[in-house]
Amino acid sequence: MAVPKRKKSRSNTRHRRARWKAGAPDLVAVTTPDGRKLAVPRRYVQAYRRGLAG
């Protein structure tokens, strides 16, 4: 793992953290085995289709 040679200033640290933003998940329409229609994040589509989630 990389180790910094010098302490990073508070200004630089806060500037870096302030720029990070979480994006909204990409929702996909899915029909579950019991016939319900849901909008779920793309990463959970297979689980909902198989009836493992929800």
Side-chain angles (χ1 to χ4, degrees), residues 25-39:
D26 185 22
L27 297 179
V28 179
V30 174
T31 304
T32 60
D34 58 354
R36 291 184 299 158
K37 293 187 186 253
L38 302 171

PDB file of all heavy atoms in Angstrom, residues 25-39:
ATOM      1  N   PRO A  25     -28.627   5.211  -7.786  1.00  0.00           N
ATOM      2  CA  PRO A  25     -28.505   3.934  -8.489  1.00  0.00           C
ATOM      3  C   PRO A  25     -29.359   3.905  -9.756  1.00  0.00           C
ATOM      4  O   PRO A  25     -30.415   4.537  -9.821  1.00  0.00           O
ATOM      5  CB  PRO A  25     -29.000   2.906  -7.469  1.00  0.00           C
ATOM      6  CG  PRO A  25     -29.863   3.681  -6.546  1.00  0.00           C
ATOM      7  CD  PRO A  25     -29.298   5.067  -6.503  1.00  0.00           C
ATOM      8  N   ASP A  26     -28.874   3.190 -10.753  1.00  0.00           N
ATOM      9  CA  ASP A  26     -29.584   3.034 -12.010  1.00  0.00           C
ATOM     10  C   ASP A  26     -30.703   2.014 -11.797  1.00  0.00           C
ATOM     11  O   ASP A  26     -30.431   0.840 -11.534  1.00  0.00           O
ATOM     12  CB  ASP A  26     -28.589   2.557 -13.068  1.00  0.00           C
ATOM     13  CG  ASP A  26     -29.200   2.487 -14.445  1.00  0.00           C
ATOM     14  OD1 ASP A  26     -30.215   3.177 -14.680  1.00  0.00           O
ATOM     15  OD2 ASP A  26     -28.677   1.743 -15.288  1.00  0.00           O
ATOM     16  N   LEU A  27     -31.967   2.448 -11.873  1.00  0.00           N
ATOM     17  CA  LEU A  27     -33.090   1.561 -11.590  1.00  0.00           C
ATOM     18  C   LEU A  27     -33.593   0.890 -12.862  1.00  0.00           C
ATOM     19  O   LEU A  27     -33.654   1.495 -13.923  1.00  0.00           O
ATOM     20  CB  LEU A  27     -34.235   2.335 -10.934  1.00  0.00           C
ATOM     21  CG  LEU A  27     -33.915   2.956  -9.586  1.00  0.00           C
ATOM     22  CD1 LEU A  27     -35.122   3.711  -9.070  1.00  0.00           C
ATOM     23  CD2 LEU A  27     -33.480   1.914  -8.586  1.00  0.00           C
ATOM     24  N   VAL A  28     -33.968  -0.383 -12.724  1.00  0.00           N
ATOM     25  CA  VAL A  28     -34.462  -1.189 -13.841  1.00  0.00           C
ATOM     26  C   VAL A  28     -35.807  -1.775 -13.442  1.00  0.00           C
ATOM     27  O   VAL A  28     -35.991  -2.218 -12.306  1.00  0.00           O
ATOM     28  CB  VAL A  28     -33.470  -2.341 -14.140  1.00  0.00           C
ATOM     29  CG1 VAL A  28     -33.973  -3.204 -15.274  1.00  0.00           C
ATOM     30  CG2 VAL A  28     -32.106  -1.793 -14.454  1.00  0.00           C
ATOM     31  N   ALA A  29     -36.744  -1.784 -14.374  1.00  0.00           N
ATOM     32  CA  ALA A  29     -38.065  -2.370 -14.108  1.00  0.00           C
ATOM     33  C   ALA A  29     -37.956  -3.891 -14.165  1.00  0.00           C
ATOM     34  O   ALA A  29     -37.413  -4.451 -15.108  1.00  0.00           O
ATOM     35  CB  ALA A  29     -39.074  -1.881 -15.131  1.00  0.00           C
ATOM     36  N   VAL A  30     -38.479  -4.569 -13.133  1.00  0.00           N
ATOM     37  CA  VAL A  30     -38.385  -6.022 -13.026  1.00  0.00           C
ATOM     38  C   VAL A  30     -39.747  -6.581 -12.631  1.00  0.00           C
ATOM     39  O   VAL A  30     -40.461  -5.985 -11.834  1.00  0.00           O
ATOM     40  CB  VAL A  30     -37.350  -6.413 -11.940  1.00  0.00           C
ATOM     41  CG1 VAL A  30     -37.348  -7.902 -11.711  1.00  0.00           C
ATOM     42  CG2 VAL A  30     -35.980  -5.957 -12.325  1.00  0.00           C
ATOM     43  N   THR A  31     -40.096  -7.726 -13.197  1.00  0.00           N
ATOM     44  CA  THR A  31     -41.296  -8.441 -12.775  1.00  0.00           C
ATOM     45  C   THR A  31     -40.844  -9.647 -11.966  1.00  0.00           C
ATOM     46  O   THR A  31     -40.079 -10.484 -12.437  1.00  0.00           O
ATOM     47  CB  THR A  31     -42.115  -8.912 -13.990  1.00  0.00           C
ATOM     48  OG1 THR A  31     -42.410  -7.778 -14.796  1.00  0.00           O
ATOM     49  CG2 THR A  31     -43.406  -9.566 -13.557  1.00  0.00           C
ATOM     50  N   THR A  32     -41.302  -9.749 -10.715  1.00  0.00           N
ATOM     51  CA  THR A  32     -40.917 -10.846  -9.830  1.00  0.00           C
ATOM     52  C   THR A  32     -41.703 -12.100 -10.182  1.00  0.00           C
ATOM     53  O   THR A  32     -42.712 -12.028 -10.895  1.00  0.00           O
ATOM     54  CB  THR A  32     -41.177 -10.456  -8.363  1.00  0.00           C
ATOM     55  OG1 THR A  32     -42.550 -10.173  -8.199  1.00  0.00           O
ATOM     56  CG2 THR A  32     -40.364  -9.251  -7.957  1.00  0.00           C
ATOM     57  N   PRO A  33     -41.276 -13.258  -9.697  1.00  0.00           N
ATOM     58  CA  PRO A  33     -41.993 -14.501  -9.994  1.00  0.00           C
ATOM     59  C   PRO A  33     -43.461 -14.481  -9.551  1.00  0.00           C
ATOM     60  O   PRO A  33     -44.292 -15.142 -10.162  1.00  0.00           O
ATOM     61  CB  PRO A  33     -41.217 -15.562  -9.207  1.00  0.00           C
ATOM     62  CG  PRO A  33     -39.851 -15.012  -9.084  1.00  0.00           C
ATOM     63  CD  PRO A  33     -40.024 -13.529  -8.988  1.00  0.00           C
ATOM     64  N   ASP A  34     -43.792 -13.706  -8.524  1.00  0.00           N
ATOM     65  CA  ASP A  34     -45.189 -13.646  -8.084  1.00  0.00           C
ATOM     66  C   ASP A  34     -45.979 -12.545  -8.794  1.00  0.00           C
ATOM     67  O   ASP A  34     -47.106 -12.241  -8.423  1.00  0.00           O
ATOM     68  CB  ASP A  34     -45.269 -13.477  -6.561  1.00  0.00           C
ATOM     69  CG  ASP A  34     -44.548 -12.248  -6.060  1.00  0.00           C
ATOM     70  OD1 ASP A  34     -43.882 -11.584  -6.869  1.00  0.00           O
ATOM     71  OD2 ASP A  34     -44.657 -11.952  -4.856  1.00  0.00           O
ATOM     72  N   GLY A  35     -45.401 -11.934  -9.835  1.00  0.00           N
ATOM     73  CA  GLY A  35     -46.134 -11.004 -10.684  1.00  0.00           C
ATOM     74  C   GLY A  35     -46.037  -9.535 -10.307  1.00  0.00           C
ATOM     75  O   GLY A  35     -46.625  -8.695 -10.985  1.00  0.00           O
ATOM     76  N   ARG A  36     -45.296  -9.198  -9.265  1.00  0.00           N
ATOM     77  CA  ARG A  36     -45.163  -7.781  -8.890  1.00  0.00           C
ATOM     78  C   ARG A  36     -44.183  -7.090  -9.825  1.00  0.00           C
ATOM     79  O   ARG A  36     -43.204  -7.680 -10.261  1.00  0.00           O
ATOM     80  CB  ARG A  36     -44.648  -7.650  -7.453  1.00  0.00           C
ATOM     81  CG  ARG A  36     -45.640  -8.092  -6.431  1.00  0.00           C
ATOM     82  CD  ARG A  36     -45.119  -7.848  -5.041  1.00  0.00           C
ATOM     83  NE  ARG A  36     -43.888  -8.626  -4.847  1.00  0.00           N
ATOM     84  CZ  ARG A  36     -42.960  -8.356  -3.946  1.00  0.00           C
ATOM     85  NH1 ARG A  36     -43.100  -7.344  -3.139  1.00  0.00           N
ATOM     86  NH2 ARG A  36     -41.891  -9.114  -3.838  1.00  0.00           N
ATOM     87  N   LYS A  37     -44.457  -5.825 -10.143  1.00  0.00           N
ATOM     88  CA  LYS A  37     -43.544  -5.021 -10.956  1.00  0.00           C
ATOM     89  C   LYS A  37     -42.829  -4.054 -10.033  1.00  0.00           C
ATOM     90  O   LYS A  37     -43.463  -3.314  -9.295  1.00  0.00           O
ATOM     91  CB  LYS A  37     -44.309  -4.275 -12.040  1.00  0.00           C
ATOM     92  CG  LYS A  37     -44.898  -5.193 -13.079  1.00  0.00           C
ATOM     93  CD  LYS A  37     -45.500  -4.419 -14.212  1.00  0.00           C
ATOM     94  CE  LYS A  37     -46.197  -5.374 -15.142  1.00  0.00           C
ATOM     95  NZ  LYS A  37     -45.490  -5.574 -16.355  1.00  0.00           N
ATOM     96  N   LEU A  38     -41.490  -4.083 -10.067  1.00  0.00           N
ATOM     97  CA  LEU A  38     -40.677  -3.255  -9.197  1.00  0.00           C
ATOM     98  C   LEU A  38     -39.595  -2.543  -9.990  1.00  0.00           C
ATOM     99  O   LEU A  38     -39.196  -3.002 -11.056  1.00  0.00           O
ATOM    100  CB  LEU A  38     -39.989  -4.128  -8.130  1.00  0.00           C
ATOM    101  CG  LEU A  38     -40.867  -4.953  -7.215  1.00  0.00           C
ATOM    102  CD1 LEU A  38     -40.005  -5.907  -6.406  1.00  0.00           C
ATOM    103  CD2 LEU A  38     -41.637  -4.047  -6.284  1.00  0.00           C
ATOM    104  N   ALA A  39     -39.112  -1.421  -9.443  1.00  0.00           N
ATOM    105  CA  ALA A  39     -37.931  -0.745  -9.985  1.00  0.00           C
ATOM    106  C   ALA A  39     -36.817  -0.986  -8.980  1.00  0.00           C
ATOM    107  O   ALA A  39     -36.886  -0.526  -7.850  1.00  0.00           O
ATOM    108  CB  ALA A  39     -38.196   0.736 -10.155  1.00  0.00           C
TER     109      ALA A  39
END
